[in-house]
Amino acid sequence: MKKTVKGKSYDTIEMSIVKKVTSGTYGDPAGYEETLYVAEDGTYFLYTNGGAESKYTAEKLTQMSKAKVEAWKKANA
């Protein structure tokens, strides 16, 4: 997935995966996935996607601060 932030383009294909969390199984309407990525410049992004009944009903890529990254890692340890 691609996203432009402050005029700079980011693509998950070119980023490194830090951690991936899934809930449910493929096809589960309440299932979802969260994938934490880090770009080469150190910028973190959280990719989210899920079923129609999940907390992530649409595919999204969100930039995250280092504090939010640490909180997310702790919550998903």
Side-chain angles (χ1 to χ4, degrees):
M1 179 172 202
K2 294 181 182 180
K3 182 169 184 157
T4 301
V5 177
K6 296 180 184 175
K8 185 166 182 178
S9 181
Y10 294 93
D11 189 343
T12 55
I13 292 174
E14 298 171 1
M15 296 182 204
S16 298
I17 294 175
V18 176
K19 183 169 184 154
K20 183 173 187 172
V21 175
T22 59
S23 176
T25 58
Y26 184 78
D28 178 0
Y32 63 88
E33 68 177 277
E34 299 176 324
T35 307
L36 181 63
Y37 287 93
V38 63
E40 192 173 289
D41 66 359
T43 305
Y44 285 91
F45 291 90
L46 186 65
Y47 168 84
T48 54
N49 196 17
E53 297 173 15
S54 75
K55 61 182 179 179
Y56 303 116
T57 57
E59 185 178 48
K60 189 172 180 182
L61 187 64
T62 306
Q63 184 176 359
M64 294 181 70
S65 67
K66 289 189 180 191
K68 286 187 178 182
V69 167
E70 292 306 316
W72 184 88
K73 284 181 177 179
K74 188 175 182 180
N76 291 287

PDB file of all heavy atoms in Angstrom, residues 18-19 21 36 44 64 66-77:
ATOM      1  N   VAL A  18       7.976  -4.834  11.237  1.00  0.00           N
ATOM      2  CA  VAL A  18       8.442  -4.932  12.616  1.00  0.00           C
ATOM      3  C   VAL A  18       7.667  -6.037  13.332  1.00  0.00           C
ATOM      4  O   VAL A  18       8.252  -6.883  13.994  1.00  0.00           O
ATOM      5  CB  VAL A  18       8.270  -3.583  13.357  1.00  0.00           C
ATOM      6  CG1 VAL A  18       8.661  -3.709  14.814  1.00  0.00           C
ATOM      7  CG2 VAL A  18       9.063  -2.487  12.656  1.00  0.00           C
ATOM      8  N   LYS A  19       6.348  -6.022  13.170  1.00  0.00           N
ATOM      9  CA  LYS A  19       5.499  -7.031  13.808  1.00  0.00           C
ATOM     10  C   LYS A  19       4.142  -7.054  13.130  1.00  0.00           C
ATOM     11  O   LYS A  19       3.630  -6.018  12.716  1.00  0.00           O
ATOM     12  CB  LYS A  19       5.321  -6.720  15.291  1.00  0.00           C
ATOM     13  CG  LYS A  19       4.521  -7.766  16.032  1.00  0.00           C
ATOM     14  CD  LYS A  19       4.581  -7.592  17.518  1.00  0.00           C
ATOM     15  CE  LYS A  19       3.828  -8.751  18.161  1.00  0.00           C
ATOM     16  NZ  LYS A  19       4.264  -9.042  19.466  1.00  0.00           N
ATOM     17  N   VAL A  21       0.130  -8.641  13.662  1.00  0.00           N
ATOM     18  CA  VAL A  21      -0.832  -9.227  14.588  1.00  0.00           C
ATOM     19  C   VAL A  21      -2.112  -9.507  13.800  1.00  0.00           C
ATOM     20  O   VAL A  21      -2.585  -8.645  13.058  1.00  0.00           O
ATOM     21  CB  VAL A  21      -1.142  -8.252  15.750  1.00  0.00           C
ATOM     22  CG1 VAL A  21      -2.224  -8.808  16.651  1.00  0.00           C
ATOM     23  CG2 VAL A  21       0.112  -7.937  16.532  1.00  0.00           C
ATOM     24  N   LEU A  36       2.887  -3.531  11.688  1.00  0.00           N
ATOM     25  CA  LEU A  36       3.718  -2.368  11.965  1.00  0.00           C
ATOM     26  C   LEU A  36       4.915  -2.392  11.021  1.00  0.00           C
ATOM     27  O   LEU A  36       5.641  -3.384  10.953  1.00  0.00           O
ATOM     28  CB  LEU A  36       4.203  -2.394  13.421  1.00  0.00           C
ATOM     29  CG  LEU A  36       5.058  -1.221  13.867  1.00  0.00           C
ATOM     30  CD1 LEU A  36       4.287   0.096  13.790  1.00  0.00           C
ATOM     31  CD2 LEU A  36       5.573  -1.449  15.279  1.00  0.00           C
ATOM     32  N   TYR A  44       7.524   5.263  11.146  1.00  0.00           N
ATOM     33  CA  TYR A  44       6.707   4.078  11.414  1.00  0.00           C
ATOM     34  C   TYR A  44       5.293   4.259  10.872  1.00  0.00           C
ATOM     35  O   TYR A  44       4.733   5.359  10.924  1.00  0.00           O
ATOM     36  CB  TYR A  44       6.614   3.821  12.922  1.00  0.00           C
ATOM     37  CG  TYR A  44       7.870   3.253  13.500  1.00  0.00           C
ATOM     38  CD1 TYR A  44       8.861   4.077  14.007  1.00  0.00           C
ATOM     39  CD2 TYR A  44       8.070   1.880  13.554  1.00  0.00           C
ATOM     40  CE1 TYR A  44      10.020   3.551  14.555  1.00  0.00           C
ATOM     41  CE2 TYR A  44       9.229   1.347  14.095  1.00  0.00           C
ATOM     42  CZ  TYR A  44      10.189   2.193  14.590  1.00  0.00           C
ATOM     43  OH  TYR A  44      11.336   1.665  15.121  1.00  0.00           O
ATOM     44  N   MET A  64       2.798   6.660  12.575  1.00  0.00           N
ATOM     45  CA  MET A  64       2.758   6.600  14.037  1.00  0.00           C
ATOM     46  C   MET A  64       3.990   7.257  14.645  1.00  0.00           C
ATOM     47  O   MET A  64       5.095   7.112  14.130  1.00  0.00           O
ATOM     48  CB  MET A  64       2.698   5.144  14.500  1.00  0.00           C
ATOM     49  CG  MET A  64       1.414   4.440  14.114  1.00  0.00           C
ATOM     50  SD  MET A  64       1.361   2.756  14.697  1.00  0.00           S
ATOM     51  CE  MET A  64       1.209   2.973  16.442  1.00  0.00           C
ATOM     52  N   LYS A  66       6.837   7.622  17.677  1.00  0.00           N
ATOM     53  CA  LYS A  66       7.593   6.592  18.400  1.00  0.00           C
ATOM     54  C   LYS A  66       6.899   6.212  19.710  1.00  0.00           C
ATOM     55  O   LYS A  66       6.917   5.054  20.108  1.00  0.00           O
ATOM     56  CB  LYS A  66       9.026   7.047  18.640  1.00  0.00           C
ATOM     57  CG  LYS A  66       9.822   7.067  17.347  1.00  0.00           C
ATOM     58  CD  LYS A  66      11.279   7.291  17.566  1.00  0.00           C
ATOM     59  CE  LYS A  66      11.953   7.300  16.189  1.00  0.00           C
ATOM     60  NZ  LYS A  66      13.372   7.254  16.257  1.00  0.00           N
ATOM     61  N   ALA A  67       6.256   7.169  20.372  1.00  0.00           N
ATOM     62  CA  ALA A  67       5.536   6.873  21.613  1.00  0.00           C
ATOM     63  C   ALA A  67       4.366   5.932  21.337  1.00  0.00           C
ATOM     64  O   ALA A  67       4.139   4.974  22.079  1.00  0.00           O
ATOM     65  CB  ALA A  67       5.040   8.165  22.251  1.00  0.00           C
ATOM     66  N   LYS A  68       3.630   6.175  20.251  1.00  0.00           N
ATOM     67  CA  LYS A  68       2.509   5.297  19.902  1.00  0.00           C
ATOM     68  C   LYS A  68       3.001   3.922  19.475  1.00  0.00           C
ATOM     69  O   LYS A  68       2.358   2.914  19.754  1.00  0.00           O
ATOM     70  CB  LYS A  68       1.653   5.927  18.813  1.00  0.00           C
ATOM     71  CG  LYS A  68       0.802   7.062  19.324  1.00  0.00           C
ATOM     72  CD  LYS A  68      -0.163   7.568  18.287  1.00  0.00           C
ATOM     73  CE  LYS A  68      -1.017   8.686  18.882  1.00  0.00           C
ATOM     74  NZ  LYS A  68      -1.998   9.177  17.928  1.00  0.00           N
ATOM     75  N   VAL A  69       4.154   3.876  18.811  1.00  0.00           N
ATOM     76  CA  VAL A  69       4.743   2.595  18.412  1.00  0.00           C
ATOM     77  C   VAL A  69       5.067   1.775  19.650  1.00  0.00           C
ATOM     78  O   VAL A  69       4.746   0.589  19.728  1.00  0.00           O
ATOM     79  CB  VAL A  69       6.009   2.800  17.549  1.00  0.00           C
ATOM     80  CG1 VAL A  69       6.787   1.504  17.406  1.00  0.00           C
ATOM     81  CG2 VAL A  69       5.636   3.348  16.181  1.00  0.00           C
ATOM     82  N   GLU A  70       5.694   2.393  20.636  1.00  0.00           N
ATOM     83  CA  GLU A  70       6.054   1.678  21.865  1.00  0.00           C
ATOM     84  C   GLU A  70       4.809   1.184  22.600  1.00  0.00           C
ATOM     85  O   GLU A  70       4.783   0.061  23.104  1.00  0.00           O
ATOM     86  CB  GLU A  70       6.917   2.562  22.771  1.00  0.00           C
ATOM     87  CG  GLU A  70       8.300   2.845  22.198  1.00  0.00           C
ATOM     88  CD  GLU A  70       9.075   1.589  21.813  1.00  0.00           C
ATOM     89  OE1 GLU A  70       9.080   0.599  22.585  1.00  0.00           O
ATOM     90  OE2 GLU A  70       9.675   1.576  20.725  1.00  0.00           O
ATOM     91  N   ALA A  71       3.771   2.002  22.647  1.00  0.00           N
ATOM     92  CA  ALA A  71       2.525   1.595  23.301  1.00  0.00           C
ATOM     93  C   ALA A  71       1.884   0.430  22.538  1.00  0.00           C
ATOM     94  O   ALA A  71       1.395  -0.521  23.155  1.00  0.00           O
ATOM     95  CB  ALA A  71       1.562   2.772  23.381  1.00  0.00           C
ATOM     96  N   TRP A  72       1.910   0.487  21.209  1.00  0.00           N
ATOM     97  CA  TRP A  72       1.340  -0.589  20.396  1.00  0.00           C
ATOM     98  C   TRP A  72       2.119  -1.895  20.594  1.00  0.00           C
ATOM     99  O   TRP A  72       1.532  -2.954  20.770  1.00  0.00           O
ATOM    100  CB  TRP A  72       1.332  -0.189  18.910  1.00  0.00           C
ATOM    101  CG  TRP A  72       0.682  -1.197  18.027  1.00  0.00           C
ATOM    102  CD1 TRP A  72      -0.653  -1.275  17.720  1.00  0.00           C
ATOM    103  CD2 TRP A  72       1.305  -2.291  17.354  1.00  0.00           C
ATOM    104  NE1 TRP A  72      -0.869  -2.351  16.886  1.00  0.00           N
ATOM    105  CE2 TRP A  72       0.309  -2.992  16.646  1.00  0.00           C
ATOM    106  CE3 TRP A  72       2.614  -2.747  17.268  1.00  0.00           C
ATOM    107  CZ2 TRP A  72       0.588  -4.119  15.881  1.00  0.00           C
ATOM    108  CZ3 TRP A  72       2.891  -3.876  16.497  1.00  0.00           C
ATOM    109  CH2 TRP A  72       1.874  -4.548  15.817  1.00  0.00           C
ATOM    110  N   LYS A  73       3.448  -1.784  20.609  1.00  0.00           N
ATOM    111  CA  LYS A  73       4.284  -2.980  20.831  1.00  0.00           C
ATOM    112  C   LYS A  73       3.994  -3.594  22.193  1.00  0.00           C
ATOM    113  O   LYS A  73       3.883  -4.814  22.327  1.00  0.00           O
ATOM    114  CB  LYS A  73       5.770  -2.615  20.745  1.00  0.00           C
ATOM    115  CG  LYS A  73       6.290  -2.405  19.359  1.00  0.00           C
ATOM    116  CD  LYS A  73       7.759  -2.072  19.508  1.00  0.00           C
ATOM    117  CE  LYS A  73       8.521  -1.884  18.276  1.00  0.00           C
ATOM    118  NZ  LYS A  73       9.924  -1.540  18.538  1.00  0.00           N
ATOM    119  N   LYS A  74       3.879  -2.758  23.228  1.00  0.00           N
ATOM    120  CA  LYS A  74       3.613  -3.242  24.571  1.00  0.00           C
ATOM    121  C   LYS A  74       2.248  -3.938  24.638  1.00  0.00           C
ATOM    122  O   LYS A  74       2.114  -4.986  25.256  1.00  0.00           O
ATOM    123  CB  LYS A  74       3.663  -2.083  25.562  1.00  0.00           C
ATOM    124  CG  LYS A  74       3.583  -2.495  26.996  1.00  0.00           C
ATOM    125  CD  LYS A  74       3.757  -1.295  27.918  1.00  0.00           C
ATOM    126  CE  LYS A  74       3.727  -1.723  29.365  1.00  0.00           C
ATOM    127  NZ  LYS A  74       3.891  -0.609  30.288  1.00  0.00           N
ATOM    128  N   ALA A  75       1.250  -3.350  23.984  1.00  0.00           N
ATOM    129  CA  ALA A  75      -0.097  -3.924  23.983  1.00  0.00           C
ATOM    130  C   ALA A  75      -0.152  -5.233  23.203  1.00  0.00           C
ATOM    131  O   ALA A  75      -1.033  -6.055  23.436  1.00  0.00           O
ATOM    132  CB  ALA A  75      -1.083  -2.923  23.409  1.00  0.00           C
ATOM    133  N   ASN A  76       0.793  -5.439  22.292  1.00  0.00           N
ATOM    134  CA  ASN A  76       0.783  -6.627  21.434  1.00  0.00           C
ATOM    135  C   ASN A  76       1.986  -7.537  21.702  1.00  0.00           C
ATOM    136  O   ASN A  76       2.387  -8.285  20.822  1.00  0.00           O
ATOM    137  CB  ASN A  76       0.747  -6.204  19.969  1.00  0.00           C
ATOM    138  CG  ASN A  76      -0.582  -5.590  19.609  1.00  0.00           C
ATOM    139  OD1 ASN A  76      -1.575  -6.273  19.499  1.00  0.00           O
ATOM    140  ND2 ASN A  76      -0.599  -4.286  19.471  1.00  0.00           N
ATOM    141  N   ALA A  77       2.524  -7.466  22.913  1.00  0.00           N
ATOM    142  CA  ALA A  77       3.678  -8.294  23.272  1.00  0.00           C
ATOM    143  C   ALA A  77       3.276  -9.742  23.492  1.00  0.00           C
ATOM    144  O   ALA A  77       2.188 -10.096  23.752  1.00  0.00           O
ATOM    145  CB  ALA A  77       4.331  -7.744  24.526  1.00  0.00           C
TER     146      ALA A  77
END
